Amino acid sequence: MEDKKKNCDCGCEHDHHEHDADCDCGCEVDEDVVMLEDEEGHEIPFYHIATLERDGKEYACLQQADDEDPIVEIFELQEVEEGGEFFYNFLPIDDELYEALYKQLEEEVATMGEDDCDDPDCDCHHHHE
């Protein structure tokens, strides 16, 4: 799968990679949503859950946004330059590496402390004590 350039759906003619704080179009882009293009050219929205590092490589943990029973997909990130623009290819990984990375993700989630949350409006139990 490939990280496809995407519009922010505001009607502007810029792509997501050009959308930054200096943009004056007034639209907002959800940075946690990644649009990937499958082999048939269909765009599929994914939530970015985490980026993991293992053996000097980076891996994106994604969850399909519009799936009723979403599972975590993990891809190796490969940075590519094309025409002076940088983007990522999302490369598939084998089952053994998936299991190891999924375990790493679970461990990182389990060790996240209550101090990591600074949103008083969240549903974390420590805000309700």
Side-chain angles (χ1 to χ4, degrees):
M1 290 192 156
E2 185 174 295
D3 179 13
K4 182 174 170 57
K5 294 179 197 173
K6 50 218 169 276
N7 292 326
C8 58
D9 296 330
C10 69
C12 299
E13 295 301 318
H14 59 268
D15 66 39
H16 174 78
H17 299 290
E18 294 172 357
H19 196 276
D20 57 25
D22 297 331
C23 179
D24 61 358
C25 72
C27 61
E28 294 181 24
V29 173
D30 187 348
E31 294 293 328
D32 290 334
V33 174
V34 177
M35 297 297 287
L36 298 184
E37 189 175 79
D38 67 12
E39 295 80 20
E40 289 88 37
H42 301 108
E43 288 188 348
I44 303 169
F46 284 85
Y47 292 116
H48 176 254
I49 306 299
T51 301
L52 302 175
E53 188 174 326
R54 184 179 190 92
D55 299 327
K57 295 181 181 181
E58 288 187 315
Y59 299 89
C61 301
L62 307 175
Q63 194 170 40
Q64 194 167 337
D66 60 0
D67 195 346
E68 291 180 22
D69 189 24
I71 61 169
V72 174
E73 301 281 351
I74 302 176
F75 299 96
E76 179 182 340
L77 292 174
Q78 178 188 51
E79 189 173 33
V80 178
E81 178 186 8
E82 189 175 293
E85 266 189 74
F86 290 92
F87 63 95
Y88 286 102
N89 279 334
F90 288 70
L91 307 175
I93 60 173
D94 64 39
D95 291 342
E96 186 177 321
L97 181 56
Y98 177 89
E99 292 299 323
L101 288 167
Y102 190 80
K103 183 176 181 174
Q104 181 179 340
L105 176 63
E106 287 180 320
E107 289 170 358
E108 287 187 19
V109 169
T111 61
M112 289 176 59
E114 294 175 353
D115 294 336
D116 291 340
C117 178
D118 53 355
D119 181 0
D121 296 324
C122 79
D123 290 330
C124 298
H125 67 81
H126 61 276
H127 292 296
H128 304 289
E129 294 177 355

